[in-house]
Amino acid sequence: AQKVTQAQTEISVVEKEDVTLDCVYETRDTTYYLFWYKQPPSGELVFLIRRNSFDEQNEISGRYSWNFQKSTSSFNFTITASQVVDSAVYFCALLNNAGNMLTFGGGTRLMVKP
Amino acid sequence: DTGVSQDPRHKITKRGQNVTFRCDPISEHNRLYWYRQTLGQGPEFLTYFQNEAQLEKSRLLSDRFSAERPKGSFSTLEIQRTEQGDSAMYLCASSLSGQIYNEQFFGPGTRLTVL
């Protein structure tokens, strides 16, 4: 069975602070894919990044960066210089080997205050 | 707008009534997924289709839940004899097969309230 744990249910920061959202996963598959999605107040899930289990290179996209560590089964997400518009619920998700089912974590609600 | 669309966006019903939701995927996507999201939780996988074939339905919550995709385009999710515990957001997503890691694009969801 697959499992994704996001231990931080809610984080509050002041604008321009850096913030890291944690994600830990469990799977028996040797090949799998990890995702981060953003869910703003409007409710629609927005894809942010995909990472496969063979690629442990960190990735940076603007103010966003991701740290994938297979040894600790973690896929953490950092927002640098946070902005009010970053306020949303962020979900980490694991795609199974068959590619047909995403398992989501419980989400982390990020509140960025001006 | 060529994204995933869902209809209705909101549905209020009384316990015991049947409800049906519709999802229109991105036009070239042949895979379609249904998820349920309860308040404060992440989405939970229910079922998925590749073209018109329903390839996984063991995660449907009970026999009151059923889904169809008759022509491999839009899909419907029906809940019979609704219960208060069915109140949730029902999300639809679509993707293109061929590469298993293709990201799923989500629709805005249908929020169901069962009184």
Side-chain angles (χ1 to χ4, degrees):
Chain A
Q2 302 195 132
K3 186 177 180 181
V4 177
T5 301
Q6 295 179 253
Q8 305 148 309
T9 54
E10 204 167 288
I11 300 176
S12 181
V13 299
V14 177
E15 206 169 21
K16 298 185 183 177
E17 286 185 13
D18 299 347
V19 58
T20 295
L21 311 181
D22 297 334
C23 172
V24 175
Y25 63 91
E26 297 175 28
T27 181
R28 292 182 180 177
D29 290 341
T30 53
T31 301
Y32 51 88
Y33 297 85
L34 294 161
F35 296 78
W36 276 94
Y37 282 87
K38 175 182 180 179
Q39 190 173 45
S42 61
E44 195 158 340
L45 281 163
V46 177
F47 165 80
L48 295 178
I49 191 173
R50 171 190 65 233
R51 172 66 72 226
N52 74 55
S53 52
F54 297 116
D55 182 1
E56 290 195 64
Q57 283 191 340
N58 291 334
E59 182 161 340
I60 298 174
S61 176
R63 297 184 296 108
Y64 295 169
S65 62
W66 291 269
N67 183 343
F68 174 37
Q69 292 195 345
K70 205 168 178 179
S71 60
T72 56
S73 298
S74 65
F75 185 43
N76 297 337
F77 172 32
T78 297
I79 302 174
T80 303
S82 59
Q83 300 175 359
V84 173
V85 294
D86 295 328
S87 297
V89 181
Y90 290 86
F91 291 98
C92 180
L94 174 64
L95 185 65
N96 63 346
N97 194 27
N100 59 7
M101 185 173 71
L102 274 172
T103 299
F104 284 83
T108 297
R109 179 177 298 278
L110 174 64
M111 292 177 290
V112 182
K113 300 178 180 177
Chain B
D1 184 15
T2 56
V4 178
S5 62
Q6 293 186 245
D7 183 69
R9 294 291 307 276
H10 303 273
K11 177 71 177 178
I12 300 174
T13 191
K14 293 182 178 179
R15 189 175 52 184
Q17 298 294 304
N18 299 343
V19 295
T20 301
F21 310 140
R22 177 179 170 126
C23 171
D24 286 88
I26 293 172
S27 58
E28 63 267 28
H29 286 182
N30 57 348
R31 285 191 170 185
L32 186 148
Y33 311 79
W34 285 100
Y35 291 81
R36 183 182 79 156
Q37 185 177 17
T38 54
L39 201 61
Q41 302 297 316
E44 175 187 13
F45 173 84
L46 296 178
T47 186
Y48 99 103
F49 295 83
Q50 180 152 317
N51 301 312
E52 63 273 13
Q54 190 174 13
L55 298 185
E56 174 59 62
K57 56 182 179 180
S58 65
R59 300 298 183 105
L60 284 169
L61 300 163
S62 78
D63 58 6
R64 297 184 296 105
F65 288 71
S66 63
E68 292 184 344
R69 196 184 183 197
K71 297 182 180 178
S73 56
F74 73 92
S75 174
T76 58
L77 177 70
E78 181 182 15
I79 308 174
Q80 295 182 327
R81 305 180 302 282
T82 53
E83 302 173 356
Q84 287 185 327
D86 297 331
S87 295
M89 177 78 86
Y90 290 85
L91 295 167
C92 175
S94 69
S95 72
L96 196 58
S97 68
Q99 292 177 321
I100 67 169
Y101 56 77
N102 278 346
E103 59 265 29
Q104 297 178 18
F105 292 85
F106 283 81
T110 294
R111 182 170 295 284
L112 173 66
T113 301
V114 181
L115 302 177

